[in-house]
Amino acid sequence: MAAATAPVGAPPLSKGVATSPVDQEPISPIPVPPAANPRVLALGENLFADARLSGDGAHSCASCHDTHTNGADGRVRSSVLTGSDPPYNTPTVFNVALSYRLGWEGQFRTLEEQAESSLESPDIMGARIDELLVRIRNDADRAQQFRLAFGRHPNRADLLDALATYERSLVTPDSPFDRWLRGDTAALSAEEQSGYETFKSLGCVSCHQGVNIGANLKQRLGVFHRLSPHRPEVLRVPSLRNVAVTSPYFHDGSAATLQEAVRRMAKSQLNQTLTDGQIDRIVAFLRTLTGRYQGKPLRPATP
């Protein structure tokens, strides 16, 4: 087999790049999800899809976070219960447990804290947890699930624990890039490897690194050039895991394609005007970050 070579005009492939061990790369593979009580996990999955957790009884967490596709909803910005203009694009729920903070502004430190806020937000779920617990206690089957999982009647802490336990299970390992990191030298093409080298050499990796390829720091938006008219200016850096199937992009959903997102980010954050070739190589690399959930590759959601 002929040795892989980089496309003309691309940065040269690093020596031994195809066999670089994980500890020499700024990105690490997704680990297996933590062990969980199967009854708590099953309860959390059922609650995630239960519309009784919303104030109007018509929306569930899964209404905006479709775990059968990409963990989001494919819309520029999801509609909200109050009818106001929502401030943010809905991020995917996949790999959320690997983020150091949650929410676009990074205001939540734990999954339980974020779930509680979403349930009680008038824009998102519009519920009062004390009231929805009454609904759950009046459902004999669901109340029994709580007793089997926690040994007691439904309460606030256990409700949030069950939702968080389920969300921790929503990891998407086995992307081509993860397989390459683990030593499968055939997992990436020469163009994809060159895209990764370009991604690193330009400085994209300074914010998008670690197991979640981002989501581990906050950054000012528009360092060199304005990216979006929508505030705030400081946001949590999003994860690039599964980015090829989670369009549209940015906190305001204003970039429809990966090519557009890469071009605008390079100009805004790095003061770089990229060539079409550079963009194509980076996008080729980004497409290798799509993982699998329950053995199936993630796919875009239908808005």
Side-chain angles (χ1 to χ4, degrees):
M1 181 180 294
T5 58
V8 175
L13 297 180
S14 299
K15 283 188 177 181
V17 66
T19 57
S20 296
V22 172
D23 59 4
Q24 291 182 10
E25 294 295 340
I27 298 170
S28 54
I30 289 180
V32 297
N37 181 323
R39 288 177 171 172
V40 175
L41 183 61
L43 173 60
E45 182 174 9
N46 289 336
L47 291 170
F48 195 83
D50 195 335
R52 288 172 298 182
L53 267 63
S54 63
D56 62 4
H59 301 82
S60 71
C61 303
S63 296
C64 291
H65 296 287
D66 181 7
T67 58
H68 298 291
T69 56
N70 66 1
D73 61 8
R75 301 184 181 98
V76 173
R77 290 194 289 279
S78 300
S79 58
V80 298
L81 299 182
T82 59
S84 61
D85 186 29
Y88 295 125
N89 170 261
T90 299
T92 179
V93 73
F94 283 117
N95 304 309
V96 67
L98 303 178
S99 301
Y100 97 116
R101 295 281 183 89
L102 305 168
W104 274 106
E105 296 180 60
Q107 66 270 48
F108 306 113
R109 293 179 178 272
T110 68
L111 289 168
E112 291 86 352
E113 182 183 352
Q114 190 276 330
E116 183 175 42
S117 176
S118 292
L119 289 173
E120 296 192 324
S121 166
D123 284 333
I124 302 176
M125 295 291 279
R128 293 186 177 182
I129 292 181
D130 291 342
E131 293 179 358
L132 65 85
L133 284 170
V134 172
R135 299 178 194 172
I136 292 172
R137 289 170 187 146
N138 288 335
D139 181 322
D141 290 338
R142 187 69 84 232
Q144 176 69 357
Q145 264 197 301
F146 268 89
R147 285 192 293 272
L148 291 173
F150 294 105
R152 49 186 172 260
H153 294 297
N155 62 60
R156 177 183 291 255
D158 292 345
L159 168 69
L160 300 176
D161 183 12
L163 287 170
T165 296
Y166 172 60
E167 290 181 351
R168 290 188 187 98
S169 76
L170 298 176
V171 296
T172 59
D174 200 34
S175 71
F177 187 69
D178 280 357
R179 296 199 301 273
W180 179 81
L181 283 173
R182 294 186 187 279
D184 180 357
T185 59
L188 298 188
S189 69
E191 182 186 27
E192 291 163 349
Q193 291 183 48
S194 178
Y196 178 45
E197 292 298 304
T198 304
F199 183 85
K200 290 192 291 185
S201 66
L202 288 172
C204 308
V205 78
S206 63
C207 287
H208 293 286
Q209 79 311 94
V211 65
N212 223 6
I213 319 179
N216 57 2
L217 73 159
K218 293 183 181 181
Q219 182 59 274
R220 184 165 68 88
L221 198 63
V223 174
F224 293 99
H225 302 277
R226 192 174 187 180
L227 181 70
S228 169
H230 297 94
R231 293 181 179 274
E233 293 182 352
V234 176
L235 296 168
R236 189 204 63 174
V237 174
S239 165
L240 294 184
R241 290 284 180 185
N242 307 307
V243 68
V245 298
T246 54
S247 64
Y249 305 106
F250 303 150
H251 67 295
D252 59 1
S254 62
T257 67
L258 267 181
Q259 286 82 356
E260 179 188 356
V262 169
R263 187 184 303 276
R264 287 171 56 186
M265 280 295 291
K267 187 68 173 178
S268 171
Q269 302 303 102
L270 301 173
N271 202 28
Q272 295 279 341
T273 300
L274 302 186
T275 66
D276 289 344
Q278 286 175 311
I279 292 171
D280 288 345
R281 289 192 292 275
I282 291 173
V283 168
F285 157 64
L286 294 176
R287 294 189 187 284
T288 73
L289 303 179
T290 303
R292 303 172 74 88
Y293 178 62
Q294 296 182 341
K296 298 179 181 179
L298 270 61
R299 57 187 176 85
T302 302

